[in-house]
Amino acid sequence: MGVETIRSGEYTKSFAGDYLLPEIAAPPHLPMYSGKELIESVQKLNTENYADHLLDCLLLDFDTQSAENHLYDMYGVSLEVSNASHDIYKLHVPGIREGAPAIAYGDQVMLRQLRLDPDTSLPLGMEAFFYRGGESDGRTPAPGFTGYQINAVVVAVAKSVEDVFLRVNGVLPERLVFNVCFSVQVRHFQSVKRAVESIRDDLAVEHPGQVEPSNWLRCMLFPSEADGIWQKDPPSGMFRQTWFDETLNYEQKKAVDAIQSRNYGKTPFIIHGPPGTGKTKTICETVKQLCNDPNFDGAILLCAPSDPAADQLALRLKAQFDPTEMFRLNDYSRTFAEVPEKLLSYCYVDSSIFNLPPFPILMGFKIIITTCQAVDVLVQARTTNRDLALLETNLNSMLHPRFGRQSLSNRGSSLHWGALLVDEAAQATEPELVRGRRWPVLFACNAGVDTCEDVHAASGGGWYNLREAKKAIAYAIYLISSDLVTMQSDICIMAPFDTQVRLLRTMARAKQLWGVNIGPVEAFQGLESRVVIFCTTRTRTRFVKDDNERGIGIMGEAKKFNVGLTRAKEGLIVLGNPCVLGQDECWGAFLGFCWRNGLWQNENFEGERRIEDFVEDVVDGAVNTWAPPENLQAEESRRGLERALIHRDDEGGAQAQGSHAARRFLGESLEDGMWRMGLEAEAQVLGI
């Protein structure tokens, strides 16, 4: 009853046969979380408690997601026959456009079919279920339940209309009414658990025939001073490379050179910097330089936390690498519509799903780009350095038995994977910083009513805010007409709800804004735009609790907050209701920053009460009287970077006026300036 997936076992046999690699262990069991306090093991992580702590976190996450999924259970809903000959049924699931619940191809959905009274449409046995007084005897079966649970498999998802297509075997020939339960899909948790358990084993013992020095993993996770190389001489400032990207600044070039030369010892390299300072650009230059380095002969595995972020990396690199050199590895559950058309030639499709290419082709790629989750496809296919080394060792011993089983390191062979690069590894942990004071950032109050689309409409449910959409489009038109941006593609507009995204796209196209990039917040992970217009949409407090329970919207969503505010390269405009956003800790800090520094625009109600279109389009005027709590108004609430920015502006004096302000807002590259401001902030914090 399953769906087409990547058949890892068959793939491994295609190049390793039945003898060269032992059979991979069964997926690990996921026990219930023990409930012990995580803080006990997080005080000081070391090689002994690292894996146990991560496993506790993983199991806690699994149990939490399981509990949250029950919030989306549906009762007494009908299935429609889509293809009777193949047992395909259609189920309408409101909320899947916003990922609440998150459903993908291959997922399992639990169904319990109900028997209903044909006259009353009530579950059969309802009258016998309750005694007089309304109490159950505890022994009578639940009314209407057939006693069978059907595990249906998702074979297609139509997010635009919020329909899920299920393969369902064993349906009784009665009314198609079911209770539906969405279970957490365990395969991704199992892959993480397997990885953590492997780390625990590697940290505990030395493996016979290990292909790397036994302490390599320890150096990566728990590097010591002895693992590094002290830099005794100051950098010369000269680089031997010919740069592919001539816009790199000195710090970015220095990072690329350090990674390429490995002159800091056997330690992990961390590219750290404020949002928008070119970390992804530095990663891409590193990939190009490694591939151009005659001393580097391994393949590069380049990972990102999400598919859009991985796509962005591939799009940035495709100009230098053709489809025979670079491969975009997708999980089999991803749909073709989600992949940018320009990247389809870099993917491999088999049996109508994304798949792995034949082994010789896979080994020939210089670069493989995927997500941190989908990289498990390579693990299951037995193409890790350890498995490939074991394959080579076993093959060598079969071909040359007189030499015995020499390890890979003894023969001087190199590893296949020469570099692992992870972009956005510190997702949602970057320092609090917005770009500048007065010019590049604006919070615009919006009192428009957030409205729910008719759930019975063909397009399904979802939230939108008409007034906010009008404001966002007006800002985009102003930026273009005033020549603050030169191209429509310099602007992106993001919103947390898909219905608001559709409304924005419709209104933008009506104004001939074909080049403006409009999409949901998640789609911009790993991307950047010169100007970002961030629509928060939610303006009524009473719906915030439901948003939090369903995991939608932007309240209580630190990752979405981080993504939205850090995608702007030169200008950021946020639309929202401060009375609602101010209840969130992250948003409250941002609002306080804007309020303190005059980066604020009140709602304009002048004359609108007399215009019929706006009579029911606004909530109230409280947005204009909002002020942050006293602790966010005080001078002490200004952080080091904020004080450094103010100091920089005050030193600039009259230069920060007039046309120069516009040029600073959208005309100059800020990367060198951001680096200098970081130094100023450090000096401010240290009091030097």
Side-chain angles (χ1 to χ4, degrees):
M1 194 185 71
V3 296
E4 190 66 38
T5 64
I6 298 176
R7 300 175 182 178
S8 303
E10 295 181 11
Y11 186 86
T12 303
K13 286 186 177 182
S14 71
F15 64 86
D18 295 319
Y19 305 104
L20 296 178
L21 285 176
E23 186 176 349
I24 194 169
H29 173 64
L30 288 174
M32 294 294 291
Y33 172 60
S34 63
K36 68 180 181 181
E37 292 291 333
L38 288 177
I39 194 66
E40 294 177 1
S41 60
V42 81
Q43 293 294 331
K44 185 177 181 180
L45 289 177
N46 53 48
T47 57
E48 295 180 357
N49 64 18
Y50 176 80
D52 289 336
H53 176 70
L54 259 64
L55 288 173
D56 281 341
C57 292
L58 177 68
L59 297 178
L60 178 59
D61 187 24
F62 179 79
D63 289 352
T64 301
Q65 288 197 27
S66 298
E68 289 179 353
N69 268 26
H70 287 303
L71 299 173
Y72 309 121
D73 291 350
M74 303 167 66
Y75 301 96
V77 296
S78 299
L79 295 185
E80 297 181 25
V81 178
S82 178
N83 188 324
S85 61
H86 290 84
D87 296 323
I88 306 298
Y89 296 81
K90 182 175 73 172
L91 172 66
H92 183 67
V93 185
I96 62 172
R97 282 204 307 269
E98 282 83 35
I103 301 176
Y105 171 84
D107 286 355
Q108 193 174 83
V109 177
M110 294 179 289
L111 304 175
R112 292 186 174 183
Q113 190 170 10
L114 302 178
R115 285 196 176 105
L116 304 182
D117 188 303
D119 298 324
T120 64
S121 294
L122 293 174
L124 287 174
M126 179 68 79
E127 67 283 352
F129 184 65
F130 293 105
Y131 280 109
R132 186 176 303 170
E135 295 181 0
S136 169
D137 62 4
R139 297 185 300 273
T140 306
F145 180 38
T146 61
Y148 296 96
Q149 177 173 292
I150 303 171
N151 293 327
V153 177
V154 177
V155 296
V157 179
K159 287 188 177 181
S160 60
V161 292
E162 298 194 318
D163 287 335
V164 177
F165 295 86
L166 306 169
R167 178 174 290 120
V168 187
N169 295 335
V171 174
L172 297 177
E174 301 177 6
R175 298 180 65 175
L176 298 177
V177 180
F178 296 82
N179 290 342
V180 181
C181 181
F182 301 100
S183 60
V184 175
Q185 309 309 316
V186 300
R187 68 184 181 98
H188 297 307
F189 287 91
Q190 288 173 331
S191 65
V192 176
K193 187 172 188 288
R194 185 188 297 110
V196 174
E197 290 175 341
S198 177
I199 290 173
R200 179 176 58 192
D201 295 340
D202 286 351
L203 291 175
V205 298
E206 296 184 11
H207 291 272
Q210 193 161 342
V211 299
E212 284 268 12
S214 59
N215 64 343
W216 181 86
L217 190 60
R218 195 271 309 157
C219 292
M220 294 299 107
L221 295 177
F222 297 97
S224 65
E225 187 175 305
D227 299 319
I229 299 176
W230 283 100
Q231 304 300 298
K232 299 179 181 179
D233 299 321
S236 65
M238 303 295 291
F239 303 101
R240 58 184 174 83
Q241 298 91 338
T242 299
W243 301 106
F244 292 89
D245 187 347
E246 294 294 342
T247 66
L248 293 174
N249 61 32
Y250 173 75
E251 290 298 314
Q252 293 164 342
K253 292 178 180 178
K254 182 181 174 183
V256 174
D257 182 68
I259 296 172
Q260 189 175 356
S261 61
R262 299 187 66 181
N263 58 354
Y264 280 81
K266 192 167 57 176
T267 58
F269 288 89
I270 300 176
I271 301 175
H272 177 73
T277 50
K279 297 184 292 296
T280 298
K281 181 165 68 172
T282 306
I283 286 284
C284 291
E285 181 69 25
T286 300
V287 171
K288 299 170 187 176
Q289 292 294 341
L290 288 175
C291 290
N292 196 47
D293 189 343
N295 297 318
F296 179 83
D297 60 355
I300 298 173
L301 183 59
L302 179 56
C303 297
S306 66
D307 277 314
D311 290 339
Q312 175 64 13
L313 289 169
L315 289 169
R316 292 192 183 196
L317 292 170
K318 66 182 293 293
Q320 276 75 34
F321 302 99
D322 61 45
T324 65
E325 300 173 305
M326 186 176 76
F327 175 51
R328 174 65 174 96
L329 172 61
N330 295 287
D331 188 76
Y332 70 83
S333 63
R334 199 177 189 202
T335 64
F336 297 146
E338 298 176 53
V339 180
E341 185 177 354
K342 295 179 181 179
L343 292 182
L344 287 175
S345 61
Y346 289 83
C347 306
Y348 185 81
V349 177
D350 186 29
S351 301
S352 299
I353 62 170
F354 288 112
N355 214 317
L356 287 171
F359 182 72
I361 298 177
L362 182 70
M363 292 294 101
F365 289 120
K366 293 181 180 179
I367 310 160
I368 292 184
I369 303 174
T370 188
T371 66
C372 299
Q373 194 172 72
V375 75
D376 187 57
V377 172
L378 296 174
V379 177
Q380 295 298 308
R382 313 299 298 278
T383 56
T384 63
N385 272 341
R386 173 172 293 170
D387 281 332
L388 293 174
L390 182 60
L391 170 67
E392 186 175 351
T393 299
N394 289 341
L395 179 60
N396 184 66
S397 66
M398 292 176 64
L399 295 175
H400 308 285
R402 63 184 181 278
F403 295 116
R405 299 182 73 255
Q406 294 184 5
S407 69
L408 184 65
S409 58
N410 291 337
R411 296 194 309 277
S413 299
S414 60
L415 300 175
H416 177 74
W417 302 104
L420 168 63
L421 305 177
V422 183
D423 193 25
E424 299 282 357
Q427 183 183 159
T429 64
E430 294 180 302
E432 274 187 43
L433 178 70
V434 286
R435 294 181 167 277
R437 180 175 181 250
R438 273 181 210 95
W439 301 280
V441 180
L442 175 68
F443 180 81
C445 294
N446 172 48
V449 174
D450 45 0
T451 306
C452 186
E453 188 178 67
D454 184 3
V455 295
H456 300 294
S459 58
W463 290 92
Y464 67 95
N465 191 310
L466 181 60
R467 187 184 184 90
E468 179 185 71
K470 292 177 180 178
K471 286 174 174 285
I473 299 302
Y475 277 119
I477 294 173
Y478 170 76
L479 290 168
I480 296 168
S481 62
S482 60
D483 293 328
L484 287 174
V485 298
T486 56
M487 297 183 294
Q488 292 186 12
S489 57
D490 289 334
I491 303 172
C492 87
I493 305 176
M494 62 177 71
F497 299 101
D498 278 8
T499 302
Q500 181 73 349
V501 170
R502 291 202 311 275
L503 176 61
L504 286 163
R505 286 173 177 166
T506 300
M507 296 177 68
R509 305 319 175 231
K511 297 293 185 179
Q512 305 300 310
L513 300 178
W514 303 101
V516 175
N517 192 2
I518 302 174
V521 179
E522 297 86 346
F524 291 95
Q525 177 66 53
L527 307 180
E528 290 181 338
S529 182
R530 290 191 68 196
V531 184
V532 170
I533 302 174
F534 189 179
C535 299
T536 61
T537 306
R538 175 65 69 222
T539 55
R540 288 187 285 179
T541 304
R542 59 176 172 159
F543 297 110
V544 171
K545 181 180 179 181
D546 182 64
D547 288 350
N548 292 336
E549 291 176 347
R550 299 176 62 192
I552 60 177
I554 43 80
M555 295 289 288
E557 297 285 337
K559 289 185 178 180
K560 292 182 182 179
F561 169 84
N562 181 75
V563 170
L565 265 60
T566 60
R567 299 307 95 190
K569 296 172 70 175
E570 299 175 29
L572 172 67
I573 300 172
V574 178
L575 298 167
N577 185 337
C579 302
V580 176
L581 296 176
Q583 301 173 31
D584 180 89
E585 182 180 3
C586 294
W587 281 106
F590 172 73
L591 294 176
F593 175 90
C594 295
W595 190 88
R596 290 190 301 270
N597 294 288
L599 312 173
W600 198 273
Q601 185 178 73
N602 278 333
E603 178 67 276
N604 180 16
F605 296 107
E606 197 68 33
E608 290 184 356
R609 294 297 182 184
R610 298 190 299 271
I611 303 176
E612 184 178 355
D613 289 347
F614 286 93
V615 170
E616 296 184 4
D617 190 32
V618 297
V619 281
D620 54 51
V623 294
N624 288 345
T625 61
W626 182 89
E630 292 185 1
N631 66 308
L632 291 179
Q633 297 184 31
E635 183 66 26
E636 293 75 17
S637 64
R638 300 185 186 274
R639 303 201 176 190
L641 282 170
E642 184 179 347
R643 291 195 296 270
L645 288 168
I646 295 173
H647 173 72
R648 178 187 176 91
D649 289 343
D650 291 343
E651 279 192 340
Q655 294 180 354
Q657 304 295 325
S659 60
H660 180 75
R663 290 197 301 273
R664 181 180 173 191
F665 180 65
L666 291 174
E668 299 179 24
S669 172
L670 296 180
E671 290 175 358
D672 290 325
M674 291 298 292
W675 176 67
R676 289 194 297 272
M677 283 188 288
L679 296 180
E680 291 176 7
E682 182 180 10
Q684 184 78 16
V685 172
L686 297 177
I688 58 177

